[in-house]
Amino acid sequence: MAAKAKIGVLGASGYTGAELVRLLLRHPRAEIVLLTADRRAGKLMADVFPQFSPYALPTLTSIEQADWKALGLDLAFCALPHGTTQKVITELMARAPRTKVVDLSADFRLADTQAYARWYGHAHFAPKLQKGAVYGLTEIYRSKVKAARLVANPGCYTTCSELPLIPLLKAKAIDPDEIVIDAKSGMTGAGRTAREEMLFSEVSEGFHAYGVGHHRHMAELDQEFSLAAGREVVVTFTPHLVPMNRGIFSTIYVRGLKASPEQLHAMLLKTYAKEPFVHVLPFGVTPQTRHVRGSNMTFIGVAADRIPGRAIIVSTLDNLTKGASGQAVQNMNVMLGFPEAMGLEQVALFP
Ligand SMILES: NC(=O)c1ccc[n+]([C@@H]2O[C@H](COP(=O)([O-])OP(=O)(O)OC[C@H]3O[C@@H](n4cnc5c(N)ncnc54)[C@H](OP(=O)(O)O)[C@@H]3O)[C@@H](O)[C@H]2O)c1
């Protein structure tokens, strides 16, 4: 039997950490040897998340207690608040030179550390590590991910919009200045920390926009769309919070088409024909969040607008799976030389 890789999950008591543990428990080549928490350090994983009580898992420890050298991790997932990973992995990567890292936070997604400082309100704590970080949108950067020691896992909103738009921008099939992304997220997108505005009574039976005109994922979208278009792109993006647990749903308006909507659809079909986690629906058919919940899939639909030269693209994924921990495991598989879909074959949970 092939040896298992020693895996650590930093931030295992949060939503994306728990999703990592859910996926890794069924992964034939992964052995979880470290789980960390902050306020919940010292607790059993089963006490924090009763769904894990049938499984033998390490006790949650604080990051300060981790002896990186002795642990000898093959790979660490960092599911920590932004700003935290930059500090934590500087020490981890120095003390354990063979440990690879997949960071789920925004800490290493922006190649330009000045842009990071502008959007996140503090100087980057690890600019040298940033230089070696690879943006982990697996379908687009697979060969770079394979060679990387540090992968910056993309955001959930950004993955959902980048997968349909990057191929179209590369093909110069849409006008880069005319993209409008109207996106919605389920509540787990905001993490598990208790906040008044996330109470059931504040969120249920309603729905609202937030970060209007200044959401941080804009920086990541601009970066990746500019790379794809070969020139600067500044995108219109408005996120909304909807009262559901999981899911990102993006309605994307593209204009100034240099190809018909049917041709855009054909381009996406061709680009993703062999991809296990991107599914392009028949022309005119649009997906729903419930079609991807709990799976690592992104579903994409393309429809014509009745106004010539325009099309409407609808893209959806589960923010905790393809939008975070599923894509992180996909990147782990690529980095450690495992089959890319290993441990990620689950079908969406419906209804
Ligand atoms: N939620 C999503 O859909 C999503 C999607 C893509 C990316 N992300 C990114 O993934 C990261 C984790 O998100 P999440 O939603 O899982 O957050 P979360 O539910 O709030 O969990 C945060 C985790 O980090 C630990 N933690 C908090 N402060 C810490 C500190 N100073 N030092 C060490 N550990 C600390 C927490 O421990 P305690 O529980 O003990 O406090 C918990 O385990 C974030 O950077 C987020 O932006 C999230």
Side-chain angles (χ1 to χ4, degrees):
M1 204 168 57
K4 290 193 174 191
K6 287 187 186 179
I7 305 297
V9 178
L10 315 187
S13 54
Y15 283 147
T16 58
E19 184 74 349
L20 279 164
V21 171
R22 178 176 83 91
L23 297 169
L24 292 169
L25 276 171
R26 306 300 304 149
H27 193 292
R29 297 290 304 275
E31 182 190 0
I32 299 172
V33 299
L34 173 74
L35 297 175
T36 80
D38 185 32
R39 291 166 303 153
R40 297 182 177 91
K43 288 190 184 293
L44 294 175
M45 197 61 176
D47 292 338
V48 180
F49 295 112
Q51 68 269 31
F52 294 125
S53 53
Y55 306 97
L57 284 167
T59 301
L60 291 160
T61 56
S62 76
I63 288 175
E64 290 72 37
Q65 283 178 300
D67 181 340
W68 302 121
K69 209 169 167 188
L71 277 163
L73 298 177
D74 291 289
L75 188 137
F77 291 102
C78 296
L80 304 170
H82 68 79
T84 315
T85 314
Q86 288 165 1
K87 289 180 177 161
V88 166
I89 67 165
T90 300
E91 195 195 330
L92 183 164
M93 291 181 77
R95 289 187 57 79
R98 53 170 287 278
T99 302
K100 297 182 177 183
V101 174
V102 177
D103 178 31
L104 281 75
S105 82
D107 275 13
F108 293 96
R109 291 181 199 151
L110 299 183
D112 177 357
T113 50
Q114 300 299 322
Y116 178 89
R118 275 198 309 280
W119 283 91
Y120 287 87
H122 65 88
H124 201 286
F125 302 128
K128 277 193 190 146
L129 286 181
Q130 177 63 64
K131 286 196 177 75
V134 168
Y135 188 73
L137 190 63
T138 329
E139 287 75 10
I140 307 294
Y141 293 111
R142 186 171 280 122
S143 58
K144 286 187 176 171
V145 168
K146 198 174 171 59
R149 185 167 174 222
L150 167 59
V151 164
N153 216 56
C156 44
Y157 278 126
T158 48
T159 298
C160 195
S161 293
E162 287 168 5
L163 286 171
L165 291 180
I166 285 177
L168 302 182
L169 284 165
K170 281 187 177 167
K172 306 208 181 309
I174 56 174
D175 183 341
D177 296 326
E178 293 285 342
I179 299 168
V180 176
I181 302 170
D182 178 338
K184 289 99 191 160
S185 173
M187 290 180 61
T188 55
R192 207 180 186 210
T193 306
R195 279 185 280 149
E196 191 176 77
E197 70 270 22
M198 300 304 284
L199 288 170
F200 180 80
S201 47
E202 309 275 333
V203 180
S204 66
E205 297 172 41
F207 139 55
H208 61 270
Y210 64 102
V212 179
H214 58 83
H215 191 281
R216 284 167 170 158
H217 281 187
M218 289 171 180
E220 204 180 320
L221 292 168
D222 289 353
Q223 168 181 289
E224 293 308 308
F225 293 161
S226 299
L227 284 169
R231 63 135 161 119
E232 191 183 12
V233 178
V234 180
V235 74
T236 299
F237 164 76
T238 305
H240 302 75
L241 187 69
V242 297
M244 61 181 179
N245 284 333
R246 289 169 177 253
I248 299 283
F249 187 88
S250 302
T251 308
I252 305 167
Y253 302 95
V254 288
R255 301 175 175 198
L257 302 191
K258 311 287 183 285
S260 68
E262 288 83 354
Q263 286 168 325
L264 299 191
H265 176 256
M267 283 176 204
L268 291 176
L269 260 185
K270 191 170 170 214
T271 304
Y272 293 119
K274 295 203 174 108
E275 291 294 346
F277 301 122
V278 186
H279 179 57
V280 181
L281 297 166
F283 185 74
V285 178
T286 55
Q288 302 181 14
T289 55
R290 72 193 94 236
H291 300 160
V292 294
R293 194 160 66 99
S295 80
N296 197 46
M297 299 296 298
T298 302
F299 274 23
I300 299 172
V302 181
D305 193 322
R306 67 202 169 100
I307 303 169
R310 300 183 183 183
I312 300 162
I313 299 170
V314 180
S315 178
T316 190
L317 51 77
D318 184 323
N319 56 295
L320 294 180
T321 320
K322 182 61 174 169
S325 310
Q327 182 152 240
V329 170
Q330 193 180 346
N331 283 325
M332 174 195 83
N333 286 340
V334 175
M335 293 163 85
L336 299 185
F338 302 151
E340 192 172 315
M342 188 175 260
L344 293 168
E345 294 94 346
Q346 56 277 62
V347 178
L349 191 63
F350 182 91

